[in-house]
Amino acid sequence: MSGTIGVLFVCLGNICRSPLAEGVLRELATRERVAARLDVDSAGTSAFHTGDSPDPRTLEVALRRGVRLEHAARQVTEIDLRRFDYIIAMDANNLEKIERLAEYAGGGAEVHLLREFDETAVGARDVPDPYFGGERGFEDVHDMVERACEGLLRHIREQRDF
Ligand code: 4NP
């Protein structure tokens, strides 16, 4: 990964929110012609869906908005904590689990909640879990993830000067 900046998105199942954020950030970086600078991946705090493709509802909404997702779900590991430069959690639960893992895994990653990078998310900190909800939830999650990923990419580019 030398020369690239590692960004890992983390949610619970790694089939809805974090693979979406992975695809959206990659798409934004491609449009800004900086994709080669980034190594983007996603993982879940659980192993519930290990090996699964993203949820069909996530895939469908993303595709309609021009983002193709290709990912096999996996659980976050201690190695991830040392390998990635930015670890971005979707909600407070995921954040807590990452922080607990970081206590003994070490590593120097910056750990954030994704919505810290959404200027319109006043008071709202979590990307809500859409898994048990309806279609509208997936549309809303896509909007949130898109806005926040724009802010995140801006943050990384400013911090890393590219
Ligand atoms: P995600 O959504 O964390 O955004 O991938 C979920 C997917 C599956 C489950 C929960 C959340 N589940 O309980 O199986």
Side-chain angles (χ1 to χ4, degrees), residues 118-124:
D118 178 357
E119 286 164 10
T120 70
V122 184

Side-chain angles (χ1 to χ4, degrees), residues 11-17 48-49 129 131-132:
C11 62
L12 173 61
N14 193 213
I15 56 168
C16 297
R17 295 164 292 174
F48 298 158
H49 292 276
D129 182 350
Y131 188 67
F132 296 106

